[in-house]
Amino acid sequence: MMYKQQKQRMPVEIKSKKELDLMRAAGKIVAEILDDVEQHAKPGVTTGELEQRARAILEKYGATSPFLGYPNAQEKWPPFPGWICASVNEEIVHGIPRMKRVLREGDLLKIDVGATYGGYIGDSAWTFAIGKVSDRARRLMQVTEESLLQGIAQVHNNKRLWDVIATIQHAVETNGFTVIREYQGHGVGREMHEEPSIPNFLDDEFDKRPTNVLLKPGMTLAIEPMVVTGKWDTKVLGDKWTVVTKDRGLAAHYEHTVAVTENGPEILTQWK
Ligand code: MG
Ligand code: MG
């Protein structure tokens, strides 16, 4: 899950070695769930079934989902009811898993997974092709994953957050796709959404200060490009959670929790 735009308020936390160990453990659980999704997300399977499998893995480790019960930004709306997010095709993020939502050949499935373990959170998302998808969908997946990996490669001591962001945006836009503006990545640790905010674009009318963060060892970042084939405008469906593209363009989403170390990036949610 990610954050709606908000202003920078607090300094970015530096995690201790012990805290990083707990985040590694949380990240491994997240990775196991994504690996399980890859094996089971096939035509005929429901997003509700994938959620049940994810829940079983979390419970096996005594972990919980930081998404379940997460308050809606619109306070009058219900908290998030799912253990994971499952978003299909034009749905970008925050889709609610359902036993009636049957995956079909050609669907583009985004699964976002969080695990809270020992008080610390791992957060990662991946996009899965259900059966054979269109060439355009396949290209969208490749470009979005590559933008994440290129962005992560910028995570070094004394680099700026904008180096990460500019790299992601460039990787996406030079391939003819568009980054979502209204949702973004975030610091992560004891809370699912910590400082700094990590948008996926720089040329914006929003507050630019968060992107000025100097990266330091011990910072833990959830970097998550959300990329679409059409325009970046979004809307929220009647379930008050599922975010879709207004123009019904296809969406892909990849996310890793990454620690800044003395030796560059350490992906805490690595699974493949
Ligand atoms: Mg996130
Ligand atoms: Mg996430």
Side-chain angles (χ1 to χ4, degrees):
M1 298 183 106
M2 72 285 321
Y3 233 177
K4 271 260 180 189
Q5 291 284 348
Q6 73 153 33
K7 288 188 176 166
Q8 180 92 342
R9 293 197 193 92
M10 305 274 287
V12 179
E13 271 191 29
I14 302 295
K15 270 72 176 184
S16 68
K17 187 180 172 302
K18 191 177 167 194
E19 289 177 304
L20 287 172
D21 283 343
L22 288 168
M23 290 191 67
R24 276 185 201 102
K28 272 192 176 172
I29 298 167
V30 169
E32 183 172 329
I33 292 169
L34 286 170
D35 188 61
D36 184 81
V37 170
E38 182 168 63
Q39 291 173 50
H40 293 93
K42 303 252 159 53
V45 171
T46 71
T47 57
E49 288 167 329
L50 296 175
E51 178 190 39
Q52 285 187 336
R53 299 187 62 85
R55 177 179 179 172
I57 293 170
L58 287 167
E59 290 180 340
K60 178 175 78 176
Y61 292 104
T64 56
S65 166
F67 302 173
L68 184 67
Y70 195 82
N72 199 297
Q74 303 284 334
E75 284 182 3
K76 60 186 182 295
W77 292 353
F80 191 75
W83 287 71
I84 59 175
C85 300
S87 310
V88 183
N89 297 335
E90 75 277 10
E91 299 168 1
I92 310 160
V93 289
H94 303 173
I96 301 169
R98 298 183 195 282
M99 295 310 286
K100 288 184 176 172
R101 184 68 191 250
V102 182
L103 296 171
R104 298 203 161 78
E105 180 87 18
D107 280 344
L108 204 56
L109 173 69
K110 281 75 62 177
I111 294 289
D112 198 339
V113 176
T116 308
Y117 180 79
Y120 286 82
I121 293 171
D123 186 10
S124 178
W126 214 256
T127 302
F128 301 92
I130 304 303
K132 185 168 168 37
V133 299
S134 69
D135 290 346
R136 187 149 170 79
R138 179 65 63 184
R139 181 77 187 136
L140 178 69
M141 291 174 71
Q142 287 168 347
V143 167
T144 310
E145 180 181 355
E146 184 61 27
S147 77
L148 172 63
L149 299 181
Q150 288 184 19
I152 289 171
Q154 294 293 315
V155 173
H156 282 269
N157 187 15
N158 289 327
K159 278 234 178 194
R160 299 258 170 195
L161 192 55
W162 64 45
D163 295 315
V164 177
I165 295 165
T167 299
I168 290 171
Q169 184 176 17
H170 181 79
V172 170
E173 293 182 351
T174 54
N175 281 290
F177 295 122
T178 308
V179 291
I180 290 294
R181 261 70 166 161
E182 296 167 315
Y183 297 84
Q184 60 187 339
H186 49 89
V188 61
R190 267 170 296 139
E191 303 291 334
M192 187 159 63
H193 296 134
E194 299 184 348
E195 298 296 344
S197 300
I198 311 177
N200 292 300
F201 67 105
L202 290 175
D203 52 335
D204 64 274
E205 68 274 33
F206 297 112
D207 188 345
K208 290 179 181 168
R209 283 178 297 156
T211 64
N212 192 24
V213 170
L214 192 61
L215 299 180
K216 288 291 171 192
M219 290 183 177
T220 44
L221 311 170
I223 302 170
E224 49 181 317
M226 292 146 270
V227 176
V228 294
T229 54
K231 295 187 173 153
W232 57 261
D233 309 73
T234 68
K235 64 177 183 179
V236 177
L237 294 184
D239 64 15
K240 311 298 189 193
W241 277 101
T242 309
V243 179
V244 299
T245 50
K246 265 190 189 164
D247 65 4
R248 297 262 168 171
L250 274 180
H253 179 206
Y254 289 80
E255 173 184 29
H256 270 311
T257 297
V258 181
V260 186
T261 80
E262 296 283 358
N263 306 312
E266 179 186 350
I267 298 175
L268 303 180
T269 46
Q270 188 79 53
W271 67 282
K272 62 191 292 177

